[in-house]
Amino acid sequence: DIQMTQSPSTLSASVGDRVTFTCRASQTITTWLAWYQQKPGKAPKLLIYKASLLVSGVPSRFSGTGSGTEFTLTISSLQPDDFATYYCQHYDTYPFSFGQGTKLEIK
Amino acid sequence: EEQLVESGGGLVQPGGSLKLSCVVSGFAFSVSAMHWVRQASGKGLEWVGRVRSKANNYATAYAASVKGRFIVSRDDSKNTLYLQINSLKTEDTAVYFCTSSGRYAAFDVWGQGTMVTVSS
């Protein structure tokens, strides 16, 4: 089974900062990777699919890169609404799996 | 508007069973692969299982942690996804979300979740 590892576990930042999250797969998943944002008590929201494609309606300050086993999610200029937990997920082969999440906190 | 609404959660004793439902509206349910994902309190997301469409023979797949105990099924005439959960363990306590992998292959539409608590 493919394991997903995210780093860091927690990230403290300020409004206007540029932040980058990292996700690593235990084996190649080409670009079958998605990024989700989740706020407390809410369902996750799909932001990025196929490693770098932005979901319609998601602000362009979100971007994703990577292929193979190394992936990143970048928020170019943090907005107050962005403070949440971010998960990566592979959908290369079953069983699908998620990373453990990165909590983005206000500094 | 695309909408998924889960129901059926509750308090159940270890070893018990429960059947969750997810009613779908606003998109082509019958041709969509549907999934269940769960999240224990304060923990991360765990993919649980999937059922594909009739065209794909309603094929199912499960996480190792639930295989043999959980059954994902669907009724396309009712636009409803199900999760039969048997032989429940305390570690199955979680919010259970239904979700679809449609346009993007990733999980693009989610329900609000239904809480399952396994406790004596």
Side-chain angles (χ1 to χ4, degrees):
Chain A
D1 297 355
I2 299 171
Q3 311 302 319
M4 307 301 293
T5 303
Q6 290 185 242
S7 60
S9 298
T10 306
L11 182 59
S12 297
S14 302
V15 173
D17 285 353
R18 178 184 180 92
V19 296
T20 297
F21 309 95
T22 298
C23 176
R24 290 185 174 86
S26 60
Q27 63 191 72
T28 183
I29 56 171
T30 57
T31 56
W32 296 112
L33 184 100
W35 289 97
Y36 300 86
Q37 176 193 70
Q38 188 180 33
K39 296 183 178 179
K42 300 293 187 181
K45 173 186 176 183
L46 179 65
L47 301 175
I48 300 281
Y49 66 103
K50 210 76 166 40
S52 63
L53 301 180
L54 196 66
V55 171
S56 175
V58 173
S60 59
R61 62 181 180 272
F62 291 90
S63 63
T65 63
S67 66
T69 62
E70 299 271 338
F71 302 88
T72 61
L73 172 70
T74 298
I75 309 175
S76 60
S77 179
L78 275 173
Q79 299 302 302
D81 190 50
D82 298 338
F83 292 94
T85 299
Y86 292 83
Y87 293 93
C88 64
Q89 176 233 340
H90 88 82
Y91 49 108
D92 179 77
T93 56
Y94 287 99
F96 294 170
S97 60
F98 293 85
Q100 79 279 18
T102 294
K103 185 176 183 180
L104 179 60
E105 297 181 330
I106 301 174
K107 185 184 285 184
Chain B
E1 179 191 0
E2 299 164 328
Q3 194 171 17
L4 286 69
V5 179
E6 301 97 335
S7 62
L11 174 63
V12 61
Q13 292 187 337
S17 298
L18 209 56
K19 189 170 186 176
L20 309 182
S21 300
C22 170
V23 177
V24 172
S25 59
F27 67 93
F29 174 76
S30 63
V31 299
S32 300
M34 298 297 298
H35 304 251
W36 289 95
V37 173
R38 68 183 180 182
Q39 185 171 39
S41 180
K43 303 297 185 182
L45 300 165
E46 180 186 16
W47 176 81
V48 170
R50 168 224 79 195
V51 60
R52 298 184 74 183
S53 65
K54 180 179 181 180
N56 291 288
N57 299 313
Y58 300 121
T60 55
Y62 299 93
S65 58
V66 307
K67 196 170 186 178
R69 299 188 299 123
F70 288 19
I71 301 171
V72 183
S73 62
R74 64 194 296 160
D75 185 337
D76 292 343
S77 69
K78 296 181 179 179
N79 272 19
T80 302
L81 172 72
Y82 301 101
L83 180 66
Q84 176 70 44
I85 46 182
N86 302 315
S87 303
L88 277 159
K89 307 175 182 180
T90 54
E91 53 263 41
D92 296 319
T93 295
V95 174
Y96 285 73
F97 297 99
C98 61
T99 181
S100 66
S101 54
R103 292 163 290 183
Y104 308 114
F107 300 151
D108 55 350
V109 187
W110 293 72
Q112 84 288 352
T114 187
M115 181 72 202
V116 173
T117 303
V118 184
S119 175
S120 54

